[in-house]
Amino acid sequence: MSETSTISSPATLAQEAIQLLKQLIATQSFSKEEEGTAALIEAFLTRKGIPFQRKKNNIWAFNRFFDPKKPTVLLNSHHDTVKPNPSWTLNPYEPLVQDGKLFGLGSNDAGGPLTSLIVTFCHFYDNPHLTHNVALAATAEEEISGREGLEMIVDDLPPIEFAIVGEPTEMHLAVAEKGLLVLDCIAHGKSGHAAREEGENAIYKAIQDIQWITNYKFPKVSPTLGPIKMSVTIINAGSQHNVVPDTCKFTVDVRVTEQYTLEEIIETIRQNIQSEVHPRSIRLRPSSIPVEHPIVQAGLKLGRTAYGSPTTSDQALLDCPSLKMGPGHSERSHTANEFIYLHEIEQGVAQYIKMLEEVIL
C-alpha cells in the first residue's frame, strides 16, 4: 500500500517537501551532474508507491488512474543548480534552518518549487475522480538550457493541455515569459596597413550595425512583456595595432516576446545590417498562457497577481500554454547564501492544490 492511500493535509505535505528539499540541498547537482538528486527523487516516489520512468537524469510519473482519453496537466521543475558563487559564507551543501529560512544551494531556485510540486502531485495521485491526468516531470540541465533536460522527454509525455512550471515567483502568476535568441554576427572588411589609406575596417562596419541594433524598436509591443530587447554583449576584432582588421565578431542577446517568432526577428535583423547573422539556436521560444485560462483565473481568485517574466525557463521548450509559478523570490536565485522561507513552501503547496482543485476536480 502506498503512503498516498490516505490523503495528507497540505501542511503535512509541506513538511514532506521541506524534508526532501533538505536532502536535495545536501547533494551536489550541478547541471549535467544531477545523478545524486535524481536518485533521491526516485527514492521518494518509491516510498510513495508511485511508478516512474527515468531517462538520463530526468524523472517523470503519471497519476494512478491515468486515462489517455483525458487531457493532461504537466507539473514540471528542475533539480539541477548553478555552482555556488565565491561570496557564500555558509556551506552551500548544508541545509541550515535559521529564523524561518532554509539556506542552501538550490533552495530557492528551484528546490522549493520542485519539492512543492512533487508533493502536490502526490496529493492528486490516487484520486479516481480527476477530470485531467496529472504528469510530474523533475528534469535536468535547466540552468544551462541543455538538450538532455525537459527537451529530451517531451516526446515521452502525452499531449499536454497546460503546464505549471515551478520557478520562484512568490506564487504570483507569470503568464508570459520572454524567449531568448543569441546571435553571433560577423562584419567583413579588407585587411590593410594602418599607416596607409588602405583596407576596409571591419570594426567600423560592425559599429554601424551595432548602432542600428541599439536604436531599432520592433513595432509590436507585448501587453505583458513589453518591447523586445536587444543587447550587444561581446565584441572581438583585430590582431595587432598596425593592421586594419578584416573581420569583427560580435554577439547579440535578444529577449523575444510572443509578438514575433524567432524566425521573424532573425529575418528583420538580417535585412537591416551588413554583418552575417548566425543564431546559436531557435529552441528558447517565448511562452504564455491566456489570462482567461481557468488555472490563471484560479490564481487570481486567491489574490495573486498576473505578470510577464523577463527571465527564461524550461517553459521555452514546451509547445503548450504554460504558467510559471512557485514559492520563493526570483531575486534570491544564484545569490550567495541562497534561501527560501519555510512558510513560502507551506503556502506554495496549499496554493498549488487549491488552484488545481478548481480545474481538475
Side-chain angles (χ1 to χ4, degrees), residues 65-360:
F65 298 100
F66 180 89
D67 181 350
K69 297 177 183 177
K70 292 180 179 180
T72 298
V73 178
L74 174 65
L75 309 181
N76 165 249
S77 190
H78 64 96
H79 58 102
D80 63 314
T81 71
V82 297
K83 294 183 179 181
N85 70 52
S87 299
W88 275 82
T89 59
L90 301 173
N91 181 347
Y93 309 110
E94 180 183 350
L96 172 66
V97 176
Q98 194 172 74
D99 300 324
K101 302 173 183 177
L102 174 55
F103 291 89
L105 184 66
S107 56
N108 180 77
D109 182 17
L114 171 65
T115 56
S116 298
L117 283 174
I118 289 173
V119 299
T120 297
F121 170 78
C122 293
H123 175 79
F124 290 104
Y125 174 75
D126 271 326
N127 193 320
H129 305 298
L130 302 179
T131 61
H132 293 60
N133 301 310
V134 183
L136 170 72
T139 48
E141 297 193 11
E142 190 272 350
E143 295 291 5
I144 59 169
S145 301
R147 293 182 179 272
E148 294 189 344
L150 177 60
E151 185 175 26
M152 173 175 272
I153 68 166
V154 165
D155 290 341
D156 296 295
L157 301 174
I160 304 300
E161 183 175 270
F162 72 91
I164 296 176
V165 176
E167 290 285 341
T169 69
E170 301 178 276
M171 292 305 288
H172 290 299
L173 316 170
V175 296
E177 176 185 273
K178 286 187 175 180
L180 173 62
L181 189 60
V182 180
L183 304 176
D184 291 313
C185 303
I186 306 173
H188 291 282
K190 184 179 179 181
S191 62
H193 198 295
R196 296 188 290 269
E197 294 296 328
E198 60 185 30
E200 296 177 29
N201 197 318
I203 292 176
Y204 298 159
K205 290 188 174 183
I207 287 172
Q208 294 174 18
D209 291 344
I210 291 169
Q211 286 178 331
W212 180 86
I213 290 166
T214 302
N215 296 325
Y216 184 74
K217 306 298 181 187
F218 284 88
K220 291 189 285 188
V221 176
S222 168
T224 51
L225 296 171
I228 287 173
K229 187 176 186 302
M230 296 193 291
S231 304
V232 176
T233 53
I234 301 171
I235 188 167
N236 185 30
S239 58
Q240 58 191 66
H241 76 88
N242 58 350
V243 178
V244 174
D246 60 359
T247 59
C248 179
K249 299 178 181 180
F250 60 96
T251 301
V252 189
D253 178 296
V254 187
R255 302 293 167 149
V256 186
T257 74
E258 80 287 356
Q259 296 295 307
Y260 295 89
T261 66
L262 301 190
E263 291 82 358
E264 288 173 330
I265 299 294
I266 294 167
E267 185 59 27
T268 298
I269 295 171
R270 281 177 172 158
Q271 289 177 356
N272 285 278
I273 69 174
Q274 307 169 74
S275 301
E276 294 178 24
V277 177
H278 302 283
R280 292 187 185 177
S281 82
I282 51 172
R283 298 166 54 236
L284 304 179
R285 298 179 179 274
S287 53
S288 64
I289 190 170
V291 174
E292 298 77 24
H293 194 286
I295 194 66
V296 178
Q297 289 298 308
L300 294 174
K301 282 174 59 177
L302 295 174
R304 312 318 290 169
T305 301
Y307 72 102
S309 172
T311 58
T312 58
S313 73
D314 274 346
Q315 275 185 292
L317 304 173
L318 293 170
D319 188 20
C320 66
S322 55
L323 173 64
K324 184 166 70 175
M325 175 182 68
H329 197 303
S330 180
E331 292 181 1
R332 298 184 209 134
S333 300
H334 306 179
T335 61
N337 300 336
E338 179 185 353
F339 70 89
I340 189 168
Y341 284 102
L342 299 180
H343 72 79
E344 290 177 320
I345 295 175
E346 294 162 0
Q347 293 170 358
V349 172
Q351 184 179 321
Y352 279 142
I353 290 173
K354 286 180 182 177
M355 288 175 60
L356 284 164
E357 284 176 343
E358 288 281 321
V359 179
I360 67 176

